[in-house]
Every structure is written in structure tokens, then in C-alpha cells.
Amino acid sequence: MDFLNQFTSHSSVRSFERKDLPEELKMQLLQAAQSGSSSNFVQAYSIIEIRDPDKRHEIEQIANGMGHVENTGVFYLFVADLNRNYQIARETTQDLKAITSMESLIVSIIDTTIAAQNMAVFAESQGLGICYIGGIRNDLDRISEMLELPAYTFPLYGLTIGYPKNKNEVKPRLFAEEILKIDRYQEADPVVIAEYDQRMNHYYQQRSRNTRCTDWSQRVQAHYHTLRRPEVFDFLVKQGFDFPMKEQ
Ligand SMILES: Cc1cc2nc3c(=O)[nH]c(=O)nc-3n(C[C@H](O)[C@H](O)[C@H](O)COP(=O)(O)O)c2cc1C
């Protein structure tokens, strides 16, 4: 399959064979993840492979999964990790504002996500299926306790990777003309969004599983109807991050 074709064929897989990935393939997945760019080369992330079946079971419950955390070839948890760099930096400075700042957290989230997506794309190139699991953030305190996460870390999402049992249809993306803006920002064009909604309505009604009568705008409206996970801020503060209203 050519490279672009691989990207445009992506769909998240939520049903896997009960078969572990060989160690060599897991090492390659890690290599792919670690080869991504890293802002100022801080490499501010860690990847925790969850092997313990009890932990996987509990994470599955936390994420309201439907079996795909427990029954997957491998399950990784991606952690934005400034603890490693904190340990190194504190040898020469007591002022750690630069570690605990919003900017550092954003950089760390970007690094982590580049690594995760590199891993995901490589996995798909090997015929494997993947699904991100943001549902791990449904209980940050428990995840943090279970994985013994220290200060200056934040668990972002899990990634299931395995041999797909079945694959969903590809979900049509927003039209490129909506995403790409030339030379300046342009607000969303309601006509283009309405056309996309029609397309998505068709997709939701026609797909082979979990059909529903909705469109993309309705999904967006429902999503932003309620504030999600308001406890994230307090969790970050507990983890040692510091967001003064005005950086000193
Ligand atoms: C950060 C992130 C978190 C996600 N969390 C979940 C999740 O908890 N459970 C799930 O079933 N899918 C999850 N997904 C998958 C999205 O629902 C999926 O990517 C999106 O609906 C587009 O579908 P596609 O990946 O099949 O194209 C997540 C995706 C991302 C990027």
C-alpha cells in the first residue's frame, strides 16, 4: 500500500484477536515512537506498557471500554513526563518554574503526541490496528496511584495496538478547504460545514455498526454541551504544575 493510502485508510480498531505482539515488533514500535521530533529535544514523555492483566482490567473499567483494553496485542499508556528533566535540572537550579509552567506542559504534551502518532502510524504500516484511549482520564487519581506517577507527570491517553478482528469504515474528514486557510485565518464557512454534515449524516446512517441519525455539527454540539473532566486542573496542580495568572 502506498504511504498516503495508508493514512487515508485509517480507522480506529476496537476489536482485536487475543494474541500478544512479538517482542521484536514491540521494540520496533518503540523505535518508531522515539524517532519523532522533540521540541528543544527535551524528550518529555514516558510510555508505560501495561502487562498486568488486573491493571488492564481496571483501566478497561475506568475507560468504559468494550474489551479492547484487555483484549489487545499490547496496551501502552502515554505519559507527559517532566519528572525526568526535573531530576536533571534540579542539580543545577532551585528555580523550577521553567519545569512546572504551562509552556513546559504544552511542550511535553506535544512531544508525547508526536511519539504516540509515530507509533500508531508504524503499527498500521505493519497491518495492525490501533485505538487511542482518552477514557483513562476518567479517573486520573486512580490511574496515577496505580502507575505510581510522580510529580510533573500527566497521563494523557492509552494506545491499544493489536491484530484487528474487524475494521470500521473510514470516517470522512472535514473537507480540506475547511481545514486549510491561506495567508490568514478564515472562520468556518457554514455552507461547507452544512455539506459536510450531509456527508456525515449519510455515513452515520449507512455504516455497518452502531448506526445513528446524526451529523457532525450535532455531535460537536452534544460534545460541548457539558464541561468535561473539570478535575483535570486540580489534578495538574496536585502533580506540581503551576499556572499563576501571570507568569512571574
Ligand atoms: C486522544 C484521543 C483519545 C481517544 N479516546 C478514545 C477512547 O477513549 N475510546 C475510543 O473508543 N476511542 C477513542 N479515540 C478514538 C476516536 O474516537 C477516533 O479517532 C475518532 O472518532 C475518529 O475515528 P477514526 O479514528 O476511526 O477515524 C480517541 C482518539 C484520540 C485522538
Side-chain angles (χ1 to χ4, degrees), residues 68-92:
H68 59 290
V69 171
E70 282 189 277
N71 306 327
T72 180
V74 65
F75 180 70
Y76 293 112
L77 211 134
F78 281 78
V79 179
D81 182 5
L82 286 152
N83 186 276
R84 182 188 302 116
N85 294 352
Y86 161 78
Q87 305 292 346
I88 298 166
R90 75 172 175 179
E91 286 179 18
T92 57

Side-chain angles (χ1 to χ4, degrees), residues 36-203:
S37 296
S38 163
S39 180
N40 283 96
F41 204 42
V42 290
Q43 305 185 76
Y45 60 95
S46 285
I47 304 170
I48 304 181
E49 181 186 339
I50 311 292
R51 293 186 182 169
D52 180 341
D54 292 339
K55 287 188 178 173
R56 279 221 205 169
H57 177 73
E58 196 179 341
I59 293 171
E60 167 93 29
Q61 306 302 308
I62 290 171
N64 300 325
M66 288 159 292
H68 59 290
V69 171
E70 282 189 277
N71 306 327
T72 180
V74 65
F75 180 70
Y76 293 112
L77 211 134
F78 281 78
V79 179
D81 182 5
L82 286 152
N83 186 276
R84 182 188 302 116
N85 294 352
Y86 161 78
Q87 305 292 346
I88 298 166
R90 75 172 175 179
E91 286 179 18
T92 57
T93 178
Q94 296 302 306
D95 182 2
L96 294 159
K97 277 205 296 280
I99 288 272
T100 62
S101 71
M102 176 77 85
E103 166 66 8
S104 268
L105 177 63
I106 290 172
V107 161
S108 155
I109 292 171
I110 295 170
D111 271 16
T112 313
T113 301
I114 289 172
Q117 185 61 10
N118 257 18
M119 183 186 274
V121 169
F122 177 70
E124 288 181 333
S125 79
Q126 301 303 297
L128 300 166
I130 67 106
C131 188
Y132 283 88
I133 307 291
I136 61 119
R137 294 196 309 281
N138 290 340
D139 192 343
L140 284 165
D141 285 332
R142 181 61 197 130
I143 291 285
S144 165
E145 183 185 37
M146 186 195 304
L147 306 181
E148 299 173 37
L149 296 181
Y152 319 123
T153 60
F154 181 59
L156 285 173
Y157 39 74
L159 187 64
T160 55
I161 303 181
Y163 301 96
K165 235 187 209 166
N166 44 49
K167 234 180 145 236
N168 298 322
E169 290 96 337
V170 170
K171 244 184 217 173
R173 268 34 185 180
L174 277 166
F175 300 133
E177 66 199 270
E178 177 46 49
I179 294 285
L180 180 69
K181 306 174 195 279
I182 308 290
D183 288 336
R184 65 176 181 85
Y185 190 82
Q186 288 148 299
E187 290 205 348
D189 180 342
V191 176
V192 176
I193 299 289
E195 260 177 65
Y196 178 62
D197 276 337
Q198 261 185 13
R199 185 158 176 194
M200 283 306 283
N201 177 277
H202 185 259
Y203 158 81

